[in-house]
Amino acid sequence: QMHLEESGGGLVQVGGSLRVSCAASGDTFNAYYMGWFRQAPGKEREFVAGISFHGGIATYADSVKGRFTISRDNAKNTVILQMNSLKVDDTALYYCAARRLGVETYGDWGQGTQVTVSS
């Protein structure tokens, strides 16, 4: 089981940038596919981005493609989401999640970090 802790959220204006990080502990980090999800008030949680075990493959939701970049550092057990050209619609609680090799669903989740984009 992986313990995940997000940091780096905050308040930013439209068009600005923010970086959120996730520190992982408790298991072999490179055995986990890592992802970022978000949940806005009144909406369901949605997938934002995911990255493969060694960082070679990244996937993104259409809504963030070209603006967000996911990366990971397996030596530091961290995964980062760099968010650029932020929009009001990006306002949400952002969660880090881990999916173990051979498992189809994300089984470990952080508590979330709030990102608020103001106009």
Side-chain angles (χ1 to χ4, degrees), residues 9-80:
L11 175 65
V12 65
Q13 290 189 327
V14 167
S17 297
L18 205 60
R19 190 171 88 158
V20 290
S21 300
C22 174
S25 61
D27 203 344
T28 305
F29 185 63
N30 62 13
Y32 287 79
Y33 186 97
M34 300 300 297
W36 285 96
F37 290 74
R38 67 186 182 185
Q39 187 168 20
K43 295 186 177 181
E44 293 189 355
R45 187 165 57 192
E46 63 176 358
F47 172 80
V48 175
I51 190 164
S52 60
F53 308 101
H54 294 287
I57 300 173
T59 57
Y60 298 94
D62 287 343
S63 58
V64 306
K65 269 181 193 173
R67 300 188 298 120
F68 289 13
T69 302
I70 187 171
S71 62
R72 67 188 292 163
D73 185 337
N74 285 353
K76 297 181 179 179
N77 289 6
T78 59
V79 60
I80 291 170

Side-chain angles (χ1 to χ4, degrees), residues 9-18 20 37-41 43 46-48 61-68 81-95 113-119:
L11 175 65
V12 65
Q13 290 189 327
V14 167
S17 297
L18 205 60
V20 290
F37 290 74
R38 67 186 182 185
Q39 187 168 20
K43 295 186 177 181
E46 63 176 358
F47 172 80
V48 175
D62 287 343
S63 58
V64 306
K65 269 181 193 173
R67 300 188 298 120
F68 289 13
L81 186 68
Q82 176 67 42
M83 302 180 288
N84 299 328
S85 302
L86 282 160
K87 306 175 181 179
V88 171
D89 286 349
D90 295 318
T91 296
L93 191 60
Y94 282 72
Y95 295 93
T113 185
Q114 180 67 38
V115 171
T116 303
V117 185
S118 68
S119 57

